[in-house]
Amino acid sequence: MTASLQAALDPSAIAVIGASENPDKIGGRPLLYLSRFGFRGEVWPVNPRRDEVQGRRTVPHLSALSRAPDLAIIAVPGEAAVAALDECAEIGVKVAIMMASGFGETADPEAKAAERAMVARARARGLRMIGPNSQGLANFGTGAVASFSSMFLEVEPQDGPVGIVSQSGAMSVVPYGLLRGRGIGVRHAHATGNDADVTVCELAAAVAADPGLRLLLLYLESIPDPHHLAQAAAIARDRGLPIVALKAGRTAAGQAAARSHTGALANEDRLVDAFLEQHGIWRAQDTTDLVAAAELYLKGWRPEGRRMVAISNSGATCVMAADAASTAGLDLAPLGDETQARLRAILPSFAATRNPVDITAALMTNSALFSQILPVIAEDPSADAFLVGVPVAGRAYAVDDFGRDTAAFAAATGKPVVIVAPQELVAAPFRSRGLPVFSGEGEAVRALHQFIAHHERIAAAGGRPPPPAPPPPSEAALRLLDEAESLALLARAGVPVVRHRRCRTADEAVAAAETIGGPVAVKGCSAEVAHKSELGLVHLGVSGEEAVRAAFEACRAGLAKAGHAPTGVIVAAMARGRRELVLGAHRDPFFGPVVVVGDGGTYVEAMPDVALLLPPFTQAEVRRALGRLRIAPLIAGVRGEAPWAIEPYLAAAVAVGELMTMEPRIASLDVNPMLVGTEPGDCLALDAVVFGDGLPSP
Amino acid sequence: MTASLQAALDPSAIAVIGASENPDKIGGRPLLYLSRFGFRGEVWPVNPRRDEVQGRRTVPHLSALSRAPDLAIIAVPGEAAVAALDECAEIGVKVAIMMASGFGETADPEAKAAERAMVARARARGLRMIGPNSQGLANFGTGAVASFSSMFLEVEPQDGPVGIVSQSGAMSVVPYGLLRGRGIGVRHAHATGNDADVTVCELAAAVAADPGLRLLLLYLESIPDPHHLAQAAAIARDRGLPIVALKAGRTAAGQAAARSHTGALANEDRLVDAFLEQHGIWRAQDTTDLVAAAELYLKGWRPEGRRMVAISNSGATCVMAADAASTAGLDLAPLGDETQARLRAILPSFAATRNPVDITAALMTNSALFSQILPVIAEDPSADAFLVGVPVAGRAYAVDDFGRDTAAFAAATGKPVVIVAPQELVAAPFRSRGLPVFSGEGEAVRALHQFIAHHERIAAAGGRPPPPAPPPPSEAALRLLDEAESLALLARAGVPVVRHRRCRTADEAVAAAETIGGPVAVKGCSAEVAHKSELGLVHLGVSGEEAVRAAFEACRAGLAKAGHAPTGVIVAAMARGRRELVLGAHRDPFFGPVVVVGDGGTYVEAMPDVALLLPPFTQAEVRRALGRLRIAPLIAGVRGEAPWAIEPYLAAAVAVGELMTMEPRIASLDVNPMLVGTEPGDCLALDAVVFGDGLPSP
């Protein structure tokens, strides 16, 4: 699969169907670009009405070509585009870029069907299609700029270490424009459009293999094929290539807009978060965010921790940098006593020598202070990263020295440095030395945090295989397992389950209650009832033979009254822990099995405090997920309480993840409550509901 | 008070103590600025060693002046600065700007004491001081630029509608630089430094009175005098002048940095939020944020609602604008059927005519589409505001027409419009017509949301008097009221309290239980015990004479055993509601009385879900505060539950606010639990603890 996409990125010949003399037409612009940006392969314009366009000989039809090109650009609209695609398949083109609009992104069922049909025909003959509704591919490394974007007329390209792969045309070039404006070279700027065949994720996997890249940016409106994105992420991690993705359609309003833009299917946004984190991809919230930390990635720094030192000639920058660091989750490095003593010897008495280091307005009368303190701070081992803020300076200051000395400082420490310099005059000498410059403390610290946290995320993601995507059970065939079956299924999977017995008669129930000892729970079982309380099928704290018999009969009567087939009565131990958690799982149509962990109770939907995990995951990941919840402080114990024995719950969550992966016939399961307490044995599933298709009765 | 500050903003004469020939010295720069920026009053340089500086005749000492100047700039350091301040007071200067550093912002107790002493001496003689550690005041309306900032050398001033008042020197001019870079005129750029006498808030009140202002920006590291800020806000609201404040020192790390910057005292950050909201001030999170919506404020738009329409030639902009709107809290306006029909007649079939309106890449071949659809959308009454995004265009597009037609559209509708145009070529024709241009959807929508939400906040804040600041009770004298006293105090204040009686004997307890009826709670009372449960002083669900007597004796025994003086035993009705809330109050050293409302229960500290309110406030404000909490969905009823009867709780919160205001002897009170249920009568205080000084026994 990837080989043909590589051919699209580096084709030996390109045919342009609908080639135009006018470079402002969709069929003219790629011809202009292929000439202008140095494409060295062959270019074959196809136009039945002209012998020559833009100085190149045309052919009237694809079939007139002596051999099939690797790549064909289809720049004709509607029906003609569909016919051209079929011709491409006929002659053996590897990849066609379909620029025509009006297919799957419209509300028209016929247009959607036409899109599906043409993809099916192309695939059957080995042709891959990019689009329809695609702005095209642009590779400035090979000069294969098969795109009609206006942007490359406005902003001069320069080959470089950044790749951009986008569903949207605009978002393939807006980041390009922002990066080029900052002097950064961009190699790839690809737009896949409707993703009817080749998806943005599949193309990303092909682009991630480019050894020249050091940063890969993605714009996605839908992730219908997570396995391709997982593959791209795995390729990128192997090569140390960071991926930053902007997944739009975060909200219901955004998803509705995406549907009519690229025909994008809606993803559950919290799963997008979980998936991207799992695969080491950083998620940007908007366009600005997508490119915010680019310079940091391109410097080749390897961050080793979260302790930052802030240095400024403004106390306000110190305060705001400290605020921003705390908010983002960076620490202020504690500078050593010796470092502080050396700084005090240099700086005026009213300067601050703790971290943040405030040079004060004394810099105005002595520019040398700046250069004198940097080597002192560089020698302190406590820092992992630096923020240098010069919010105000000017011609009276040695700003060029500031830039030079900070660059030397960065080179000496090998640690990430961000600069805050809202005045262009001050920013220039830092920027010209390749240092990342920001106009505010907030932006600088957020970019630094992203850079550090992204590396942590990549390190945690290492080695995970792309997830399989088992077909979900058919909705129609779903069957509810009764409580006893559900508990048995979970117990076999390794989930600790409350001591219980399924009883067919009152005598059995009495015997079970005696064996279990103490007061028991008596519950009516039926494969037709998911919510028992409402039907009077739950009797708690039942003590003594009489009471057990009465509860047994009440359950039988309750089921009979509601017209549900009984499958016995459960007699279970009464268990008490410290808190009722939930442990659930279901199948997402895109991301496959999903495990839900977190707080339980009556209001789990109204006031959710849960995290989603995508198998496979480890106990450490469950622990980390719980650590972000509101209940996190309770786990460690508050107000003198003993900590929870949480490990059995972590193990149970992992077991449920494995069960969902191994047993594709389970559609969903819900353990509620799952008790936890201060002893490992307190962790017990008290009740469970499983839905599935074709599951054997345990 | 304000009159003398007005004199500092518009002085008839300014003395410069420590006047220097060198405009790069602190004593030279203000002289340069006073000449360069057209100050029309008199300027008297004071320098005992030179006859002339910067072309002006000097006087050797202040005492040599024939009359006292309104304003004196003290540009000498240390002891000499202190002496100069005393001289200013001696001759009757109204305001002195103390630029010297090394006082209250240091860790040195002697320097802090010197600062306090000089302020006391100045105040005693009617001299107001700005600073020390002040960069100075700059008023480009009067030319009174008494500042040593470098910024006015680098970025040419232009008088305009924006005022900036800051504690920090850098933050008085960084926003200036950012706004001037966007072509916006700035009148005031003041830095107050340590605020040892005149505070940033007091100066803000003086500046707010300037009728030429249309936007006031504040940078604060501490709010030790909220009444001054309330006064500034009231003046501004009367004039329709919006205030945006960046309060730094949000976090513990930021507060520590602020202490060594301007000696700032730490404010409780959630109270800063509550206070600013109450007074109609918008809170910016960082520098970029502080100036982000400036253009919107200066257009004179009056937003009327939150329904936005997004229009773009890029589907991605549509998706991201919709996401950003949902995230920020703006709605997408539903365009009418007729509007959509008219749009369909103009746009290609694959364009989106719902909101967002996606013109699509068809704009590339027909620039007129842009101008054709705007008048159609302008006629739809459903929109309150617009986002126009042109993320990509170029020379092939009629971008100048886009700017012209959008400006006409904005003028025709009179509604706020924000532009998204990351390319400078595209941005220019919009910006040159005074439209607010942003480089990303996120920034544009956040600015629009701020502008709309800020106007809502100002409208809600109207008419509130500045809060009084009663002196807090002395810590040493605080006394705990026992439960009966506490409940009585609350009941008198209008808080519904559970039916109960204080009993001195077992017989009284039995009689009380009979009168109350049903099972009762029996609780030991003592003014020495805040937490009763641990001492076995709480007996719930007590039924029958025997049991009441036993509980009474157990309480007496429990108190005796713990060595606490008994003050009786409470017999109270057993009340059950739907949820236990909290209702508390305390006094903040800066903001005065604070009322805490929200969810109760065991883990109220570990998992807080509470809001803070500053009296005076209304029931509607309590409701709004509860509406932002996690428990908000429960109030309306979830899972088929009846809604809570919340009104008595709202009234109780208002009553507690009034009690704290009227009775300054109360230090804190804590009603926990405060029950709520589905009936108004369910709302009851079940227990309470009050601390105060000199409170009469009820």
Side-chain angles (χ1 to χ4, degrees):
Chain A
M1 297 292 255
T2 302
S4 64
L5 292 186
Q6 292 299 347
L9 297 175
D10 187 13
S12 64
I14 303 176
V16 182
I17 300 160
S20 168
E21 182 65 21
N22 182 350
D24 286 340
K25 298 270 185 198
I26 287 174
R29 179 108 8 111
L31 282 176
L32 174 74
Y33 285 161
L34 291 168
S35 300
R36 182 181 287 187
F37 301 133
F39 177 61
R40 284 188 300 265
E42 293 188 64
V43 177
W44 299 324
V46 180
N47 186 327
R49 292 184 305 278
R50 299 179 73 113
D51 292 342
E52 198 184 282
V53 296
Q54 299 190 33
R56 294 182 191 267
R57 298 280 316 160
T58 64
V59 296
H61 302 288
L62 268 189
S63 55
L65 293 173
S66 57
R67 65 178 173 94
D70 289 335
L71 180 66
I73 299 170
I74 302 178
V76 291
E79 290 296 324
V82 177
L85 188 72
D86 287 332
E87 284 173 50
C88 287
E90 184 67 35
I91 68 162
V93 172
K94 288 183 183 155
V95 180
I97 300 174
M98 185 84 146
M99 292 176 170
S101 298
F103 295 93
E105 82 279 16
T106 66
D108 177 3
E110 281 186 34
K112 287 178 189 290
E115 182 179 284
R116 282 192 300 272
M118 71 183 170
V119 170
R121 291 196 304 276
R123 279 193 179 158
R125 297 200 263 183
L127 169 65
R128 302 302 310 273
M129 179 186 73
I130 289 165
N133 196 22
S134 161
Q135 188 179 258
L137 309 188
N139 180 346
F140 295 100
T142 62
V145 182
S147 164
F148 67 86
S149 172
S150 311
M151 186 62 97
F152 313 128
L153 296 173
E154 308 298 337
V155 178
E156 193 60 28
Q158 184 194 300
D159 187 20
V162 181
I164 303 163
V165 189
S166 165
Q167 277 178 301
S168 145
M171 281 304 291
S172 70
V173 293
V174 166
Y176 162 95
L178 294 171
L179 293 172
R180 293 292 305 115
R182 281 147 55 178
I184 297 173
V186 176
R187 172 165 297 174
H188 298 273
H190 307 309
T192 57
N194 286 8
D195 288 19
D197 178 24
V198 175
T199 67
V200 63
C201 298
E202 197 179 356
L203 186 62
V207 171
D210 183 334
L213 288 196
R214 283 186 288 141
L215 175 63
L216 179 55
L217 305 179
L218 307 181
Y219 174 83
L220 316 167
E221 290 188 1
S222 176
I223 309 177
D225 54 340
H227 60 288
H228 279 135
L229 188 51
Q231 190 189 354
I235 293 168
R237 284 200 309 276
D238 281 349
R239 297 199 28 243
L241 170 68
I243 303 180
V244 181
L246 169 47
K247 162 67 177 66
R250 283 184 283 117
T251 63
Q255 285 164 1
R259 213 155 31 240
S260 57
H261 177 215
T262 51
L265 298 166
N267 292 108
E268 155 92 41
D269 202 59
R270 289 186 307 163
L271 291 179
V272 172
D273 277 338
F275 179 82
L276 295 180
E277 173 169 359
Q278 191 172 48
H279 293 278
I281 299 172
W282 190 260
R283 184 170 190 181
Q285 293 303 308
D286 58 29
T287 317
T288 307
D289 207 18
L290 183 62
V291 296
E295 284 88 348
L296 280 149
Y297 288 107
L298 300 180
K299 289 294 287 181
W301 286 317
R302 288 279 165 268
E304 291 189 350
R306 291 187 164 223
R307 297 167 308 169
M308 182 185 94
V309 173
I311 305 155
S312 180
N313 65 330
S314 156
T317 286
C318 292
V319 177
M320 291 189 285
D323 274 343
S326 287
T327 303
L330 298 182
D331 306 318
L332 289 183
L335 288 178
D337 291 343
E338 197 200 319
T339 306
Q340 289 196 49
R342 291 173 65 194
L343 291 174
R344 272 196 298 276
I346 299 168
L347 294 173
S349 62
F350 46 85
T353 57
R354 304 171 72 84
N355 178 15
V357 178
D358 182 2
I359 306 173
T360 78
L363 188 65
M364 181 173 137
T365 42
N366 182 5
S367 271
L369 292 175
F370 190 92
S371 305
Q372 287 166 12
I373 65 166
L374 289 183
V376 176
I377 295 167
E379 284 176 25
D380 194 296
S382 69
D384 300 310
F386 305 93
L387 177 145
V388 173
V390 188
V392 180
R395 276 171 283 269
Y397 295 75
V399 287
D400 196 65
D401 292 356
F402 300 168
R404 181 198 62 204
D405 296 333
T406 308
F409 168 78
T413 64
K415 296 171 184 173
V417 180
V418 290
I419 312 296
V420 179
Q423 282 177 276
E424 184 46 38
L425 177 84
V426 184
F430 292 96
R431 200 183 287 119
S432 69
R433 272 125 181 150
L435 293 165
V437 181
F438 300 84
S439 76
E441 296 77 16
E443 289 90 332
V445 169
R446 284 192 293 274
L448 184 60
H449 169 262
Q450 171 183 333
F451 180 65
I452 295 170
H454 191 180
H455 276 83
E456 291 170 357
R457 180 179 280 204
I458 291 169
R464 193 188 307 276
S474 101
E475 282 276 336
L478 286 187
R479 181 175 85 82
L480 172 68
L481 270 56
D482 73 16
E483 180 177 345
E485 290 174 322
S486 297
L487 289 174
L489 184 74
L490 286 161
R492 277 210 321 277
V495 175
V497 163
V498 68
R499 197 171 166 210
H500 70 283
R501 193 176 296 170
R502 181 207 295 262
C503 307
R504 302 288 173 178
T505 66
D507 287 345
E508 272 182 44
V510 169
E514 262 172 31
T515 311
I516 288 166
V520 292
V522 178
K523 296 182 279 181
C525 251
S526 168
E528 296 168 7
V529 179
H531 300 288
K532 289 182 283 284
S533 305
E534 288 83 343
L535 301 179
L537 302 180
V538 180
H539 303 263
L540 300 179
V542 182
S543 274
E545 182 176 336
E546 288 297 290
V548 171
R549 281 187 195 281
F552 183 93
E553 292 307 330
C555 288
R556 215 151 58 174
L559 284 169
K561 191 177 164 202
H564 293 303
T567 55
V569 167
I570 282 188
V571 176
M574 289 296 295
R576 272 176 183 262
R578 282 277 299 287
R579 195 154 185 111
E580 296 188 348
L581 301 186
V582 289
L583 177 56
H586 62 274
R587 276 177 211 286
D588 181 80
F590 304 111
F591 294 105
V594 178
V595 174
V596 182
V597 296
D599 199 20
T602 319
Y603 297 121
V604 69
E605 278 94 21
M607 304 193 292
D609 186 34
V610 298
L612 306 184
L613 292 157
L614 297 169
F617 53 82
T618 63
Q619 290 193 31
E621 283 166 290
V622 185
R623 189 188 289 275
R624 201 159 57 216
L626 294 176
R628 292 176 196 159
L629 297 182
R630 196 165 174 271
I631 52 167
L634 307 190
I635 300 174
V638 292
R639 293 167 54 115
E641 294 175 355
W644 297 352
I646 196 68
E647 289 73 16
Y649 180 81
L650 307 180
V654 170
V656 166
E658 286 165 359
L659 174 64
M660 291 296 287
T661 305
M662 302 295 288
E663 181 50 277
R665 291 175 294 183
I666 300 175
S668 71
L669 66 86
D670 191 15
V671 184
N672 190 5
M674 180 88 190
L675 274 189
V676 290
T678 51
E679 297 300 322
D682 294 341
C683 181
L684 289 172
L686 297 195
D687 195 352
V689 174
V690 175
F691 278 91
D693 171 19
L695 286 166
S697 275
Chain B
M1 297 292 253
T2 302
S4 63
L5 293 186
Q6 291 300 347
L9 297 174
D10 188 12
S12 64
I14 302 176
V16 182
I17 301 161
S20 168
E21 182 64 20
N22 182 348
D24 287 340
K25 297 272 186 197
I26 287 174
R29 184 130 332 135
L31 282 176
L32 174 74
Y33 285 160
L34 290 169
S35 300
R36 183 181 286 187
F37 301 134
F39 177 60
R40 283 188 301 265
E42 292 187 66
V43 178
W44 298 324
V46 180
N47 186 327
R49 290 183 306 277
R50 300 178 72 115
D51 292 341
E52 200 183 282
V53 294
Q54 298 191 33
R56 294 181 191 267
R57 297 282 312 163
T58 64
V59 294
H61 303 287
L62 269 189
S63 55
L65 294 173
S66 56
R67 64 179 173 93
D70 289 336
L71 181 65
I73 299 170
I74 301 178
V76 289
E79 290 297 323
V82 177
L85 187 74
D86 287 332
E87 284 172 52
C88 287
E90 183 68 35
I91 68 163
V93 172
K94 287 183 183 155
V95 180
I97 300 173
M98 184 84 145
M99 293 176 169
S101 298
F103 295 93
E105 81 278 15
T106 66
D108 177 3
E110 280 185 35
K112 287 178 190 290
E115 182 179 284
R116 283 194 299 274
M118 71 184 172
V119 170
R121 290 197 303 276
R123 280 193 178 157
R125 297 201 263 185
L127 170 65
R128 301 304 308 275
M129 179 186 73
I130 289 165
N133 196 22
S134 162
Q135 189 178 259
L137 308 188
N139 181 346
F140 296 100
T142 61
V145 183
S147 164
F148 67 85
S149 172
S150 310
M151 186 60 98
F152 311 130
L153 296 173
E154 308 298 337
V155 179
E156 193 60 26
Q158 183 194 301
D159 186 21
V162 181
I164 303 163
V165 188
S166 165
Q167 278 178 298
S168 144
M171 282 303 291
S172 70
V173 294
V174 166
Y176 162 95
L178 293 171
L179 292 172
R180 293 293 306 115
R182 281 147 55 178
I184 297 173
V186 176
R187 172 165 298 173
H188 299 272
H190 307 308
T192 57
N194 286 8
D195 288 19
D197 178 25
V198 175
T199 67
V200 63
C201 298
E202 197 179 355
L203 186 62
V207 171
D210 183 335
L213 288 196
R214 282 187 288 141
L215 176 61
L216 179 56
L217 306 179
L218 308 181
Y219 174 82
L220 317 167
E221 290 188 0
S222 176
I223 310 178
D225 54 339
H227 60 288
H228 279 136
L229 188 51
Q231 190 189 353
I235 293 168
R237 283 199 311 275
D238 281 349
R239 296 199 29 241
L241 171 68
I243 303 180
V244 181
L246 169 46
K247 163 67 179 66
R250 284 185 283 116
T251 64
Q255 285 163 1
R259 213 156 29 241
S260 56
H261 178 216
T262 51
L265 298 166
N267 292 108
E268 156 90 42
D269 202 59
R270 290 187 308 163
L271 290 180
V272 172
D273 277 338
F275 180 83
L276 295 180
E277 174 169 357
Q278 190 172 48
H279 292 278
I281 300 173
W282 191 262
R283 185 170 188 180
Q285 294 301 309
D286 57 30
T287 316
T288 307
D289 207 19
L290 182 63
V291 296
E295 284 88 349
L296 280 149
Y297 288 107
L298 300 180
K299 289 294 287 181
W301 286 318
R302 289 279 165 268
E304 291 188 352
R306 291 187 164 223
R307 296 168 308 169
M308 182 186 93
V309 173
I311 305 154
S312 180
N313 65 330
S314 156
T317 285
C318 293
V319 177
M320 290 189 286
D323 274 344
S326 287
T327 303
L330 297 181
D331 305 319
L332 289 183
L335 287 178
D337 290 343
E338 198 201 319
T339 305
Q340 289 195 50
R342 291 173 65 194
L343 291 175
R344 273 195 299 274
I346 298 167
L347 294 172
S349 63
F350 46 84
T353 57
R354 303 172 72 86
N355 178 16
V357 178
D358 182 3
I359 305 173
T360 77
L363 186 66
M364 182 173 135
T365 44
N366 181 5
S367 271
L369 292 175
F370 189 92
S371 305
Q372 287 166 11
I373 64 165
L374 289 184
V376 175
I377 294 167
E379 283 177 26
D380 195 297
S382 68
D384 300 310
F386 305 92
L387 177 144
V388 173
V390 188
V392 180
R395 274 171 285 268
Y397 294 75
V399 288
D400 196 64
D401 293 356
F402 299 168
R404 182 198 62 204
D405 296 334
T406 307
F409 169 78
T413 63
K415 295 171 182 172
V417 180
V418 290
I419 311 297
V420 179
Q423 281 178 276
E424 183 47 36
L425 177 83
V426 184
F430 292 96
R431 200 183 286 120
S432 70
R433 270 116 180 161
L435 293 165
V437 181
F438 300 85
S439 75
E441 295 78 16
E443 289 89 334
V445 169
R446 284 192 294 272
L448 185 60
H449 169 262
Q450 170 183 334
F451 179 65
I452 294 170
H454 191 179
H455 276 83
E456 292 170 356
R457 180 179 280 205
I458 290 169
R464 193 187 307 273
S474 104
E475 283 276 336
L478 287 188
R479 182 174 84 81
L480 173 68
L481 271 57
D482 72 17
E483 180 177 344
E485 290 173 323
S486 297
L487 289 174
L489 183 75
L490 287 161
R492 277 211 320 277
V495 175
V497 163
V498 68
R499 196 169 166 213
H500 70 283
R501 193 175 297 171
R502 181 208 294 263
C503 306
R504 301 289 174 178
T505 65
D507 288 344
E508 272 181 42
V510 170
E514 264 173 32
T515 310
I516 290 167
V520 293
V522 179
K523 296 182 281 181
C525 251
S526 168
E528 295 167 6
V529 179
H531 300 288
K532 290 184 281 285
S533 304
E534 287 84 341
L535 301 178
L537 303 180
V538 180
H539 303 263
L540 301 179
V542 182
S543 274
E545 182 176 336
E546 287 298 290
V548 170
R549 279 186 197 282
F552 182 93
E553 292 308 331
C555 288
R556 214 149 60 173
L559 283 169
K561 191 178 164 204
H564 293 305
T567 56
V569 166
I570 283 188
V571 175
M574 288 298 296
R576 273 177 181 262
R578 281 277 298 288
R579 195 155 184 111
E580 297 187 349
L581 302 186
V582 288
L583 178 56
H586 62 274
R587 275 177 212 287
D588 181 79
F590 303 111
F591 293 105
V594 179
V595 174
V596 182
V597 297
D599 199 19
T602 319
Y603 297 121
V604 69
E605 277 95 19
M607 303 194 293
D609 186 33
V610 297
L612 306 184
L613 292 158
L614 297 168
F617 53 80
T618 64
Q619 290 191 32
E621 284 165 288
V622 185
R623 189 189 288 275
R624 201 158 59 217
L626 293 176
R628 293 177 194 157
L629 297 183
R630 194 164 176 271
I631 52 166
L634 307 191
I635 300 173
V638 293
R639 292 167 54 112
E641 294 175 353
W644 298 351
I646 196 68
E647 290 72 17
Y649 179 81
L650 307 179
V654 170
V656 165
E658 285 165 0
L659 174 63
M660 290 297 287
T661 305
M662 302 295 288
E663 181 48 276
R665 291 174 294 184
I666 300 176
S668 71
L669 66 86
D670 191 14
V671 184
N672 190 5
M674 180 88 191
L675 274 189
V676 290
T678 51
E679 298 299 322
D682 294 342
C683 181
L684 288 173
L686 298 195
D687 195 353
V689 174
V690 175
F691 278 92
D693 171 18
L695 286 167
S697 276

